[in-house]
Amino acid sequence: MDKAERIFDLEFQQEDVRSKIVVGLERIGEVFRALLWDYAKSVGISPIQIQILVFVAHHKPEYCTVSYLAMEFNVTKPTISDAVKVLEQKQMVKRIDSLKDKRSYQVSLTTQGKNLVDEVYGYGGPFLRELNNFDSSQLEGLYHSITHIIYGLNKHGIIQVQRTCYACAFHQSSDHQHFCTLLDKELTTSNIRLDCPEYAAKEK
């Protein structure tokens, strides 16, 4: 059996720290989903609807289309369309029709939607409280590992959309030094962004 298939084999797991990390990440993901579900139930909408609201609140209008949101959350276009339809009925979003394509539209928040987003942030609080126990060097090391895992998964097509420095046209690196040509600034580990508003995809 391939080692990758034995991650959840307890005997193998105890001898392989990579497997322990994968299991740890899985548990963190489960907690995050549970916190999101609990919050979603408390406000009467689904987790994907909350994710759409938060995303639309903080990203460029050109990203707030059904097609892009489907890639962002790795779900089908009909799933996003249905979620947006419910949010419209609850008067939390409105559609802005595209002038170029009558079949396409952008999703924009209403005042009610913005108010809900302002209340949403608390569900990630338990993670922030735990991270308060880490010193700056531990936080930087953890963040360095997370950014590289995410970028690696993106390169292998597992995560479809990323707006991280490593995948950006403005990013340059040499001898483990990182530089942003847009900001004209050297980037330390803590400067690396996972979701940059100025992100521009590298040409393939």
Side-chain angles (χ1 to χ4, degrees):
M1 181 183 291
D2 186 270
K3 286 185 177 181
E5 298 175 2
R6 298 181 59 195
I7 290 171
F8 302 103
D9 178 327
L10 293 182
E11 185 175 342
F12 174 77
Q13 187 186 116
Q14 307 317 319
E15 304 300 324
D16 187 84
V17 70
R18 296 167 306 154
S19 297
K20 292 178 183 178
I21 291 170
V22 171
V23 172
L25 291 173
E26 183 200 30
R27 290 184 182 177
I28 290 171
E30 288 172 352
V31 172
F32 202 90
R33 286 192 295 273
L35 290 170
L36 183 56
W37 265 110
D38 286 344
Y39 185 81
K41 286 187 290 186
S42 74
V43 295
I45 60 176
S46 72
I48 188 64
Q49 289 161 8
I50 286 181
Q51 290 175 301
I52 290 171
L53 290 173
V54 172
F55 184 90
V56 170
H58 298 292
H59 291 86
K60 300 175 184 179
E62 55 262 40
Y63 291 160
C64 301
T65 64
V66 169
S67 295
Y68 196 95
L69 290 166
M71 290 191 298
E72 176 73 20
F73 297 115
N74 198 28
V75 297
T76 64
K77 290 181 185 180
T79 296
I80 295 295
S81 294
D82 289 345
V84 170
K85 190 178 298 183
V86 172
L87 290 172
E88 274 190 292
Q89 292 168 352
K90 292 179 178 290
Q91 299 183 327
M92 292 185 183
V93 302
K94 57 186 176 182
R95 301 186 188 201
I96 301 175
D97 294 330
S98 170
L99 297 176
K100 297 180 180 179
D101 184 353
K102 293 182 179 179
R103 297 169 299 177
S104 182
Y105 61 88
Q106 293 173 348
V107 181
S108 178
L109 297 187
T110 63
T111 300
Q112 189 171 333
K114 291 175 183 176
N115 290 339
L116 180 61
V117 168
D118 287 339
E119 300 172 8
V120 162
Y121 301 110
Y123 79 84
F127 291 99
L128 285 178
R129 287 193 290 274
E130 290 305 315
L131 290 172
N132 286 338
N133 298 318
F134 287 55
D135 63 32
S136 58
S137 63
Q138 289 174 314
L139 289 171
E140 188 161 309
L142 178 59
Y143 185 60
H144 175 79
S145 299
I146 288 172
T147 56
H148 280 273
I149 290 171
I150 290 173
Y151 181 51
L153 292 172
N154 175 238
K155 285 197 299 183
H156 288 92
I158 297 169
I159 296 177
Q160 294 189 52
V161 180
Q162 277 304 305
R163 293 170 297 279
T164 177
C165 292
Y166 298 135
C168 182
F170 299 121
H171 174 262
Q172 294 181 349
S173 65
S174 62
D175 299 324
H176 304 293
Q177 298 294 314
H178 301 275
F179 189 85
C180 176
T181 58
L182 178 66
L183 301 177
D184 192 25
K185 173 183 176 180
E186 185 174 321
L187 303 174
T188 64
T189 294
S190 59
N191 294 144
I192 296 294
R193 298 176 179 181
L194 282 180
D195 193 349
C196 179
E198 287 86 28
Y199 172 82
K202 289 180 179 178
E203 292 185 8
K204 296 183 179 179

